[in-house]
């Protein structure tokens, strides 16, 4: 028996129809990814499924005993509650019994007159806690909060940031383990390590069914077993995660293109017949007229709308940005101890680290908005920054989309020419009638597109992007990736989106704790591989040092053979050539024209992409092995 069944759901807001006859069902154990462009109705559908919003038409049948919970993008938490209390509330009867036991224990501890009367009720509350699952629930709640990056478990949620409140709400849902959990962008405001932990938890430990509304393509690939796409008010279902969805969608679009070609051929044939015998009125002729009119009136398949992003490049000098012995502090807290960094033309530096480690603060220091504690920052005389902050603070909530991007101007200057503001905003998927909408009425992804539209009007040659992927749909993410790679942009990018960093980053700057910040060559996967290999490199060195001390003499490791020396000399070039080819395949898979014109090739191209990634991993592992052997023999 399914957990819920939705039939014929329709929902519209003014002129915008979001859902147009949606049918779907969710069964026990399913892991469903829900994807679609920003504003397509994903969050609206989630609220309807959980019962927080009513459809204009249609119905949702929910299994009577099933618990269905929804994590919205901006959860509401009761004021004055502590993080631990909020999480334990998810356990319902157990939480009430536990809270009663805690209160009675406090009263007994006071030893005030009459305290003896609390002993029996306290024992009854303890028995109830045991009956409902035992005392382990409390420790489990603490562990979940800590895994999600929250340490001050008794801090009031009123004092927390929006991201911290979302993590508390997520922990409450995970503790409860409902029959069906609907999570709306659960990875927003989580760092990459925490996202990887959440992936594993949802895949291996969470027992209920899931609907994940997310733009994180690695999460979709590693957690979900079915993907639903909202497109033009309809829901299309595909087996598997992100890559399987791409392949199946390509086949669907290719079939739609063939059907459209057949429709056009039939229409041409029928119209030619009508022109030859316009006065025919037999029953057979009338049926043919009707058929021709039906073919003529049939709607052609719609193409996916993709944002068109371009950067206004300005000439860069030889020096772009340098940091020498840079130290960054906030009060007594040392965030960066001593950073040496050279940002060259074409570098795209991905900045990663735990929440609160200092990533955004470092950006403010590099931009000259915060005085460093020590060291110096050198900015090239031709360097011009354009800053995209994660809070989208540059947007006026009460103003329209057009007023935010071009206040009181019907035209904007873009890439050296004047264009109508409505034409410019159309590139960011805002049709003319939407340019008058207030920003406060937009979804999170639509706000991000407004911020991007505003940013890309600024003539600049170094993009500073702080969590640019939050709330963006996958199509816009792909357009942003393509812009950065194709234009060979120079950029500083704070992001938790591992897929995004794998596509665009040429270096990774990692916050590793205690003020240690390290630069790694390559993308996010390269960084993870190098970081994982470091203990393996240092352990043999330590063991060798220990043996030398015991013998009282120096002993060197085995030298590289002639063949290994030649292999080491050529392997970096081989890695670079393979990475270039992989990047070209990534750009190709990111091109909507591929799925429209060469859909039959997609499966082979995806296979080639996976083979290239595996080859890069193999080459990197071999390079690390040879380098370690060379260092040990020097």
């Amino acid at each position: 028996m399914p957990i819920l069944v939705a039939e014929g759901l329709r929902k519209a807001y003014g002129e915008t129809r979001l859902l147009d006859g949606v049918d779907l069902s969710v069964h026990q154990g399913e892991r469903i990814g829900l994807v679609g462009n920003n504003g397509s109705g994903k969050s609206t559908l989630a609220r309807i499924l959980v019962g927080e919003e009513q459809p204009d038409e249609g119905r949702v049948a929910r299994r009577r005993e099933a618990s269905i919970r929804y994590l919205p993008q901006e959860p509401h938490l009761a004021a004055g509650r502590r993080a631990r209390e909020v999480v334990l509330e998810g356990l319902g009867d157990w939480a009430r019994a536990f809270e009663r036991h805690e209160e009675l224990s406090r009263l007994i501890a006071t030893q005030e007159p009459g305290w003896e009367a609390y002993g029996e009720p306290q024992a009854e509350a303890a028995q109830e806690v045991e009956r409902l699952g035992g005392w382990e629930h409390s420790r489990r709640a603490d562990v979940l909060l800590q895994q999600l990056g929250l340490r001050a478990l008794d801090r009031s949620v009123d004092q927390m940031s929006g991201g911290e409140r979302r993590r508390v709400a997520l922990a409450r849902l995970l503790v409860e383990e409902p029959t069906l959990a609907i999570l709306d962008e659960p990875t927003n405001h989580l760092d990459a390590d925490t996202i990887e932990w959440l992936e594993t938890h949802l895949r291996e430990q969470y027992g209920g069914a899931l609907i994940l509304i997310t733009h994180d393509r690695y999460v979709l690939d590693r957690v979900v077993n079915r993907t639903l796409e909202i497109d033009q008010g309809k829901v299309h279902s595909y087996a598997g995660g992100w890559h399987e969805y791409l392949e199946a969608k390509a086949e669907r679009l290719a079939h739609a293109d063939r059907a459209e070609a057949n429709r056009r051929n039939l229409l041409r044939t029928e119209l030619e017949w009508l022109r030859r015998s316009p006065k025919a009125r037999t029953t057979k002729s009338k049926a043919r007229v009707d058929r021709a009119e039906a073919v003529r009136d049939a709607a052609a398949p719609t193409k996916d709308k993709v944002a068109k992003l371009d950067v206004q490049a300005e000439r860069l000098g030889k020096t772009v940005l340098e940091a020498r012995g840079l130290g960054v502090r906030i009060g007594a807290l040392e965030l960066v101890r001593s950073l040496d960094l050279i940002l060259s033309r074409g570098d795209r530096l991905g900045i990663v680290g735990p929440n609160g480690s200092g990533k955004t603060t470092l950006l403010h220091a590099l931009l000259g908005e915060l005085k460093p504690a020590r060291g110096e920052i050198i900015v090239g005389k031709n360097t011009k920054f354009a800053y995209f902050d994660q809070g989208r603070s540059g947007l006026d909530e009460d103003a329209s989309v057009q007023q935010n991007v071009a206040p009181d101007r019907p035209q904007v200057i873009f890439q050296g020419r004047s264009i109508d503001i409505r034409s410019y905003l159309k590139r960011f998927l805002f049709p003319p009638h939407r340019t008058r909408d207030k920003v406060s009425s937009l979804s999170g992804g639509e706000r991000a597109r407004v911020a991007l539209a505003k940013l890309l009007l600024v003539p600049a040659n170094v993009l500073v992007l702080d969590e640019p992927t939050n709330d963006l749909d996958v199509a816009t993410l792909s357009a942003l990736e393509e812009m950065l790679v194709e234009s060979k942009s120079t950029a500083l990018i704070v992001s938790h989106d591992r897929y995004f960093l794998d596509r665009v980053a040429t270096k990774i700057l990692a916050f590793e704790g205690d003020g240690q910040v390290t630069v790694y060559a390559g993308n996010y996967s390269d960084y993870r591989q190098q970081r994982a290999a470091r203990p393996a490199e240092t352990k043999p060195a330590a063991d060798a040092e220990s043996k030398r001390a015991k013998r009282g003499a120096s002993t060197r490791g085995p030298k590289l053979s002639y063949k290994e020396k030649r292999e080491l000399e050529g392997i970096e070039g081989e890695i670079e050539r393979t990475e270039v080819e992989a990047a070209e395949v990534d750009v190709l898979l990111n091109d909507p024209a591929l799925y429209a014109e060469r859909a039959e090739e997609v499966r082979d191209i995806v296979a080639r992409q996976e083979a290239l990634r595996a080859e890069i991993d193999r080459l990197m592992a071999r390079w690390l092995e040879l380098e370690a052997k060379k260092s040990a023999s020097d």
Side-chain angles (χ1 to χ4, degrees):
M1 181 180 178
I3 297 169
L4 66 77
V5 176
E7 296 177 342
L9 299 182
R10 286 182 168 80
K11 187 71 176 182
Y13 295 99
E15 301 177 15
T16 306
R17 179 174 289 278
L18 292 180
L19 307 177
D20 188 12
V22 168
D23 299 321
L24 66 89
S25 61
V26 181
H27 293 76
Q28 187 65 41
E30 280 200 294
R31 302 286 197 268
I32 298 172
L34 181 58
V35 301
N37 289 342
N38 292 137
S40 61
K42 301 186 296 295
S43 297
T44 299
L45 177 59
R47 290 192 295 270
I48 290 174
L49 293 180
V50 81
E52 291 186 4
E53 190 168 334
Q54 296 303 311
D56 297 333
E57 298 179 35
R59 71 184 189 95
V60 179
R62 305 173 187 88
R63 201 167 72 202
R64 183 173 301 172
E65 73 279 10
S67 56
I68 302 174
R69 300 291 182 267
Y70 173 49
L71 176 73
Q73 294 188 33
E74 296 181 7
H76 172 73
L77 302 180
R81 303 289 282 173
R82 296 177 297 165
R84 179 188 281 110
E85 292 173 340
V86 171
V87 173
L88 291 177
E89 283 172 358
L91 293 170
D93 291 342
W94 183 95
R96 286 185 283 274
F98 178 79
E99 190 168 337
R100 176 164 171 74
H101 180 271
E102 292 288 287
E103 178 60 25
L104 290 168
S105 298
R106 283 193 293 270
L107 291 171
I108 291 172
T110 63
Q111 296 286 299
E112 293 181 356
W115 66 269
E116 297 90 345
Y118 301 127
E120 187 175 342
Q122 182 208 38
E124 291 173 353
Q127 289 176 357
E128 185 71 358
V129 168
E130 291 285 359
R131 186 183 69 81
L132 294 169
W135 305 95
E136 183 66 16
H137 282 317
S138 179
R139 192 188 71 81
R140 182 163 164 261
D142 290 354
V143 169
L144 279 171
L145 282 167
Q146 290 167 358
Q147 293 281 14
L148 289 169
L150 290 166
R151 299 291 181 265
L153 307 187
D154 290 319
R155 187 154 60 103
S156 171
V157 295
D158 301 343
Q159 302 168 356
M160 293 182 172
S161 67
E164 290 173 320
R165 290 166 64 87
R166 278 178 57 84
R167 279 176 268 158
V168 171
L170 176 58
R172 179 174 63 186
L173 185 146
L174 293 177
V175 161
E176 182 180 2
E177 286 198 346
T179 314
L180 170 62
I182 304 176
L183 310 182
D184 198 344
E185 297 292 0
T187 64
N188 276 2
H189 305 290
L190 298 183
D191 59 66
D193 287 341
T194 306
I195 292 173
E196 290 184 5
W197 170 84
L198 180 62
E199 271 180 8
T200 303
H201 184 86
L202 293 177
R203 188 175 61 245
E204 299 178 3
Q205 298 183 42
Y206 188 81
L210 285 170
I211 296 179
L212 293 174
I213 303 172
T214 181
H215 63 267
D216 191 310
R217 289 156 285 185
Y218 279 154
V219 169
L220 289 169
D221 253 347
R222 296 167 183 173
V223 176
V224 312
N225 51 35
R226 182 157 69 107
T227 301
L228 301 178
E229 179 193 32
I230 299 183
D231 182 24
Q232 304 293 319
K234 305 293 185 183
V235 168
H236 304 278
S237 180
Y238 304 88
W242 175 249
H243 277 89
E244 292 88 350
Y245 151 71
L246 284 181
E247 292 175 0
K249 182 177 180 180
E251 293 177 6
R252 179 175 70 84
L253 292 178
H255 176 76
D257 286 342
R258 289 192 295 271
E260 173 62 8
N262 292 337
R263 187 184 75 90
R264 290 182 180 277
N265 288 335
L266 178 58
L267 180 60
R268 183 172 59 252
T269 301
E270 296 300 311
L271 287 175
E272 287 174 356
W273 177 83
L274 286 173
R275 293 187 187 105
R276 287 197 304 270
S277 53
K279 296 180 180 179
R281 286 294 180 269
T282 66
T283 301
K284 185 175 181 180
S285 298
K286 181 65 169 61
R288 195 161 181 179
V289 170
D290 292 342
R291 185 174 67 174
E293 290 175 346
V295 171
R296 180 197 63 200
D297 295 337
T302 57
K303 300 291 184 181
D304 285 348
K305 295 179 180 179
V306 179
K308 298 177 182 178
L309 308 183
D310 290 299
V311 65
Q312 299 200 79
E314 293 279 309
R315 187 175 65 86
L316 267 171
K318 184 177 180 181
T319 299
V320 179
L321 177 67
E322 294 183 18
R324 298 175 181 173
L326 180 65
V328 178
R329 282 180 174 273
I330 295 292
L333 180 62
E334 185 175 52
L335 301 174
V336 179
R337 186 182 305 127
S338 181
L339 172 63
D340 294 317
L341 173 68
I342 298 176
L343 187 73
S344 302
R345 185 167 47 215
D347 282 347
R348 293 183 294 277
L349 182 71
I351 303 174
V352 300
N355 290 320
S357 59
K359 302 184 294 293
T360 298
T361 304
L362 174 61
L363 290 185
H364 289 311
L366 295 175
L367 290 170
E369 298 172 358
L370 177 69
K371 186 177 179 180
R374 70 179 72 87
E376 62 176 331
I377 298 170
I378 301 168
V379 179
K381 64 179 182 180
N382 292 326
T383 300
K384 295 181 181 178
F385 296 110
Y387 180 42
F388 182 91
D389 75 295
Q390 63 173 296
R392 323 293 193 241
S393 59
L395 299 181
D396 182 349
E397 295 282 317
D398 295 323
S400 69
V401 172
Q402 181 172 331
Q403 289 168 337
N404 267 277
V405 176
D408 305 318
R409 285 182 292 156
Q411 306 282 121
V412 293
I413 304 299
F414 184 67
Q415 295 187 331
R417 61 190 184 91
S418 177
I419 62 174
D420 183 79
I421 180 59
R422 290 171 297 181
S423 297
Y424 176 70
L425 288 172
K426 200 170 182 180
R427 301 168 67 92
F428 297 85
L429 306 185
F430 289 105
H433 73 275
R434 295 291 311 281
T435 64
R436 299 186 296 274
D437 291 354
K438 285 188 176 183
V439 166
S440 59
S441 70
L442 304 180
S443 69
E446 289 170 327
R447 294 184 193 194
R449 290 207 307 267
V450 176
L452 277 173
K454 188 174 180 178
L455 175 86
L456 295 178
L457 282 178
V458 178
N461 45 32
V462 178
L463 298 176
V464 182
L465 309 175
D466 194 353
E467 297 291 5
T469 67
N470 277 355
D471 302 314
L472 286 179
D473 57 54
V474 173
T476 307
L477 273 177
S478 297
L480 180 59
E481 291 164 357
E482 184 175 1
M483 180 196 77
L484 291 168
V485 173
E486 289 295 298
S487 65
K488 297 181 172 59
S489 295
T490 305
L492 298 167
I493 307 166
V494 173
S495 181
H496 63 269
D497 191 317
R498 300 154 297 163
Y499 197 106
F500 181 80
L501 291 174
D502 272 344
R503 297 286 289 267
V504 305
T506 60
K507 295 179 181 177
I508 296 292
L509 186 147
F511 280 72
E512 300 185 317
D514 297 324
Q516 179 65 37
V517 183
T518 307
V519 179
Y520 295 84
N523 61 16
Y524 184 81
S525 293
D526 297 330
Y527 146 69
R528 289 304 301 267
Q529 189 174 40
Q530 293 172 61
R531 191 177 76 169
R534 273 195 317 189
E537 293 173 22
T538 56
K539 187 176 184 298
D543 290 346
E545 188 65 34
S546 174
K547 289 176 183 177
R548 283 197 295 271
K550 288 179 181 178
R551 290 196 301 265
S554 161
T555 304
R556 296 189 179 188
K559 292 184 178 181
L560 291 173
S561 67
Y562 175 78
K563 184 177 179 181
E564 288 173 330
K565 286 180 181 178
R566 293 293 304 272
E567 184 182 3
L568 181 58
E569 289 170 359
I571 200 167
E572 289 188 9
E574 195 173 348
I575 291 171
E576 185 175 351
R577 287 189 295 273
T578 309
E579 287 179 334
V580 168
E581 185 177 353
E584 291 172 350
V585 172
D586 285 346
V587 170
L588 181 60
L589 285 171
N590 200 30
D591 184 359
L594 170 68
Y595 303 96
E597 300 168 7
R598 300 160 54 195
E600 68 282 357
E601 299 177 30
V602 170
R603 189 182 297 274
D604 291 339
I605 294 171
V606 169
R608 179 59 181 160
Q609 179 194 48
E610 293 173 351
L612 287 167
R613 287 176 177 169
E615 179 63 3
I616 291 169
D617 289 344
R618 186 192 70 77
L619 290 168
M620 285 295 298
R622 181 59 174 161
W623 175 76
L624 289 169
E625 179 186 346
L626 293 173
E627 279 289 343
K629 190 173 181 180
K630 178 185 175 185
S631 298
S633 65
D634 288 344

